[in-house]
Amino acid sequence: MLFCLDDLEPPFGVLGYKATPKMDFKSYEYTHVIVGKVPGYRPGESAGCTVARRQFDCYVRVLKELNLEVVEVDFGVEFPDNVFLEDLAIPCHGIVLLLKPTSSEEELVIKALKKVLEEDLGQTVVEVTDGNAKLAGSDVLFTGHEFFVGISETSNEAGASAVAEAFPEFPCTPIRIPPEVHHLKKYVSVAGPDILCVASCDDTADIVRRMEREANYSYKTLTVPEEEAANCLYVNGTLIHRAIEEIPKSFKIFCERIDFARRSVCFSELASMSTGLTACSLLVRKP
């Protein structure tokens, strides 16, 4: 069952939960963040690419300020493709599920990721072995209690089964999403302990209803009017969301409804090529 934040006066009220334990305080506490190493400026680079570099630098700087050690990896892939890591790996509680590459470039990135995860960060790496499985990290939402996997063109039931096998201690529920939604986390993301941020549109409302029927735990929902505001990043007790000039209406809602630490960043160029804020980093907790 999901509850709507829009019906509550901040700070959040105390609600009745159906068998919801207190959130594991470590679920969204991390020690390290993996990002792609951005090469130097190249002559003839487009203005959009220059803006994307500046936005990525700011994004990484905010993560550093949240007590994360930044691990820059040279994947041998050109910017900005080298910073979109979300679809290649799913980290959770010391285990990382590496996904199947869809190109030779992704194969190089995944190989480099595996080395860093195992040798530098002490993670247990598992890989998708089912040849029929399709899975993208942007379709996989971990709430701190359970996984939801958006079933779409990029992820299927076999892919959801791979998530369930990699993380057997957590429930894993496949949720069919409309083709036009593309990726689950573009429209639904974690905005805080037991809080889901969702875009205000008919397709998302249908997805949330399906999640409500299938969820093993209870959550509050925060609905934002701009679709691009729905993908946010909750890390080490702080919510990172888009800047006011990019999401003015949703920014006001974040200010009014969120009563814990927030940071905002400009992300328009990178978001236009990806799911959003969750796409450009892999967050892990080193043992």
Side-chain angles (χ1 to χ4, degrees), residues 153-170:
E153 292 183 359
T154 50
S155 299
N156 60 12
E157 296 275 357
S161 295
V163 175
E165 291 170 8
F167 309 103
E169 67 271 38
F170 298 107

Side-chain angles (χ1 to χ4, degrees), residues 69-228:
E69 185 173 331
V70 176
V71 180
E72 282 190 328
V73 184
D74 187 352
F75 295 115
V77 179
E78 290 189 6
F79 179 81
D81 293 337
N82 67 319
V83 300
F84 299 133
L85 304 180
E86 177 179 47
D87 282 336
L88 306 180
I90 300 167
C92 179
H93 286 232
I95 298 172
V96 181
L97 177 62
L98 286 183
L99 309 185
K100 294 190 297 185
T102 59
S103 67
S104 56
E105 284 189 343
E106 283 190 1
E107 190 171 359
L108 289 173
V109 173
I110 289 175
K111 184 177 179 180
L113 274 178
K114 183 177 182 179
K115 180 179 174 65
V116 170
L117 288 164
E118 289 182 330
E119 297 181 9
D120 299 340
L121 297 176
Q123 305 294 293
T124 299
V125 173
V126 295
E127 300 182 45
V128 176
T129 56
D130 186 344
N132 296 317
K134 293 171 61 179
L135 187 62
S138 49
D139 289 322
V140 181
L141 178 69
F142 179 59
T143 67
H145 301 300
E146 61 187 317
F147 285 94
F148 292 98
V149 180
I151 304 303
S152 61
E153 292 183 359
T154 50
S155 299
N156 60 12
E157 296 275 357
S161 295
V163 175
E165 291 170 8
F167 309 103
E169 67 271 38
F170 298 107
C172 180
T173 304
I175 299 290
R176 191 160 296 280
I177 60 178
E180 55 271 20
V181 170
H182 300 301
H183 298 290
L184 177 62
K185 280 199 292 192
K186 187 174 179 67
Y187 296 88
V188 184
S189 66
V190 172
D194 298 331
I195 303 169
L196 301 181
C197 183
V198 303
S200 177
C201 62
D202 292 339
D203 289 333
T204 305
D206 186 49
I207 292 170
V208 171
R209 282 191 292 269
R210 295 178 192 180
M211 292 173 65
E212 179 179 0
R213 288 195 298 267
E214 301 293 335
N216 291 274
Y217 300 93
S218 297
Y219 308 95
K220 307 181 190 80
T221 59
L222 176 62
T223 304
V224 290
E226 293 121 331
E227 289 183 2
E228 57 269 34

